[in-house]
Amino acid sequence: MISNLGTPASVVIAERAPFGVLADGRLVERVTLGNGRGTRATIITLGATLQALHVGDRAGELADIVLGYDTAAEYLAQPQYFGVTVGRYANRIAGGRFTLDGRAYQLETNHGPNHLHGGTAGFDTRIWTIRSVESGSEARVVMDYASADGEGGYPGALTATATYTLNEADELTIEHRATTDAPTIVNITNHSFFNLAGAGSGDVMDHRLTLNAAAYTPVDDTLIPTVARASVAGTPFDFRESTPIGARIRDGGDAQLRIGRGYDHNFVIDGEYGALRPAARLEHPGSGRVMDLLVTAPGVQFYSGNFLDGAVAGKGGRIYRQGDGLCLEPQTFPDAPNRADFPTARLDPGQVYSNRMVLRFSAAPN
């Protein structure tokens, strides 16, 4: 058990413990990273999932700000991608089809006519192996998963790693890396649902969002991008200035909001792809909690929790309803394997795929 993660310390602590046992007898472990400010991040080996993230408000009161479950079994019984690592390909691929070096591949279609988040047996359903747990000036856990050639219909044997690092500056860094033995496609990200007021406390419509994105990718009625990019200017997708999420989400005159049942779109992040740069700021005025997101990816999928329908009870038995959490998923663009005008999703032997994101937390005064 964690006994000293909430006390001031010069060492950021990482501790490993059992989390639960699945119906087939497989053990799920957890690693909790904690700093002297009381910030705690709990990562479980099922799906390399961010299961809990406790962050202080302006008064120093801690709350868990990510949606999820209390037991390992619930993550498989009621899959909602809460905090998981998604892959091999996060987001959607049209028709589940793509062609690589002249060969056509057919993936599972698990979201209408399209492939979503690696399918029903994606990386989120796998037990990842803990390779290292470190305490010190930073606390870190490294997990990996070996995906066999042909798994899920994807070519190439892929080795993926997920690294979570917490420091004393209240920065949680998540990095996904991968290598392959044959040409393949890769798009791995974290799928946390955030509510800075505390998971299960209500909806996030009062949260204020800033996105450093002058363009986004509009979608068709199956949520597949139609054009490479469109200006956000003059639309409900303009978050270049801090804006409450609920301010325009019910704009019935906007076809894109109707298609997505709210926001479920890829935003093209300003700046150089591959360089770590500011992508988003999320603020909760009531608590003062602020989360800055820095990314290396070309895009961020902003999803306003539109498909949460009250059918799922999460931590503490609290029902999660529409808009009770939001996702900011750094990624390669949806359907990139089928779009030469999008940043490539291709990975070849000898290359290293990398997607790094930094969640930087602070508290604003009244």
Side-chain angles (χ1 to χ4, degrees), residues 33 41 50 53 164-166 170-174 357-359:
L33 314 177
L50 182 60
L53 180 57
Y164 289 82
T165 305
L166 178 68
D170 274 352
E171 294 174 332
L172 178 66
T173 298
I174 306 171
M357 62 206 77
V358 178
L359 313 179

Side-chain angles (χ1 to χ4, degrees), residues 70-305:
D70 291 320
T71 68
E74 290 172 289
Y75 282 92
L76 293 180
Q78 304 179 99
Q80 292 287 333
Y81 304 108
F82 291 142
V84 301
T85 294
V86 285
R88 285 190 192 190
Y89 200 92
N91 217 310
R92 297 168 180 86
I93 297 177
R97 296 184 296 271
F98 68 95
T99 300
L100 195 64
D101 294 337
R103 179 176 175 182
Y105 295 88
Q106 179 64 58
L107 309 174
E108 177 187 9
T109 52
N110 60 314
H111 192 264
N114 303 318
H115 179 76
L116 176 68
H117 292 335
T120 55
F123 286 1
D124 58 300
T125 68
R126 308 296 183 172
I127 301 290
W128 291 55
T129 300
I130 296 175
R131 291 304 179 191
S132 65
V133 178
E134 304 172 20
S135 301
S137 58
E138 300 177 323
R140 178 179 297 108
V141 58
V142 180
M143 301 179 181
D144 66 18
Y145 173 68
S147 178
D149 180 25
E151 182 178 276
Y154 291 91
L158 190 84
T159 299
T161 62
T163 302
Y164 289 82
T165 305
L166 178 68
N167 64 21
E168 281 287 7
D170 274 352
E171 294 174 332
L172 178 66
T173 298
I174 306 171
E175 183 171 15
H176 298 108
R177 296 169 69 87
T179 57
T180 183
D181 68 352
T184 190
I185 59 169
V186 185
N187 186 26
I188 307 172
T189 194
N190 178 268
H191 201 288
S192 288
F193 286 71
F194 297 100
N195 185 324
L196 297 186
S201 65
D203 67 46
V204 295
M205 295 301 110
D206 63 343
H207 286 45
R208 301 183 68 90
L209 178 65
T210 307
L211 283 167
N212 295 331
Y216 78 112
T217 51
V219 295
D220 65 16
D221 58 5
T222 70
L223 299 176
I224 293 295
T226 55
V227 298
R229 58 194 66 200
S231 173
V232 300
T235 77
F237 293 83
D238 192 348
F239 285 92
R240 289 175 293 179
E241 300 291 337
S242 177
T243 304
I245 289 166
R248 300 168 301 201
I249 198 169
R250 299 193 184 279
D251 183 350
D254 189 273
Q256 287 294 305
L257 289 177
R258 293 200 304 273
I259 289 171
R261 304 186 189 181
Y263 297 102
D264 194 1
H265 295 76
N266 171 63
F267 285 75
V268 182
I269 301 303
D270 299 341
E272 181 184 354
Y273 167 33
L276 187 67
R277 63 208 189 281
R281 168 170 282 200
L282 185 65
E283 305 166 87
H284 179 240
S287 67
R289 292 188 184 92
V290 177
M291 183 181 81
D292 286 292
L293 174 67
L294 294 82
V295 305
T296 57
V300 167
Q301 184 85 3
F302 168 35
Y303 170 55
S304 52

Side-chain angles (χ1 to χ4, degrees), residues 9-93:
S10 58
V11 175
V12 190
I13 302 297
E15 293 192 2
R16 180 175 179 174
F19 182 74
V21 178
L22 299 177
D24 60 8
R26 289 180 297 164
L27 174 66
V28 177
E29 294 185 273
R30 72 167 185 251
V31 174
T32 300
L33 314 177
N35 66 20
R37 298 169 181 258
T39 301
R40 302 193 306 276
T42 298
I43 302 96
I44 62 173
T45 53
L46 177 60
T49 296
L50 182 60
Q51 187 267 337
L53 180 57
H54 291 82
V55 176
D57 64 7
R58 62 168 60 93
E61 294 295 321
L62 296 174
D64 183 1
I65 64 166
V66 294
L67 278 60
Y69 296 117
D70 291 320
T71 68
E74 290 172 289
Y75 282 92
L76 293 180
Q78 304 179 99
Q80 292 287 333
Y81 304 108
F82 291 142
V84 301
T85 294
V86 285
R88 285 190 192 190
Y89 200 92
N91 217 310
R92 297 168 180 86
I93 297 177

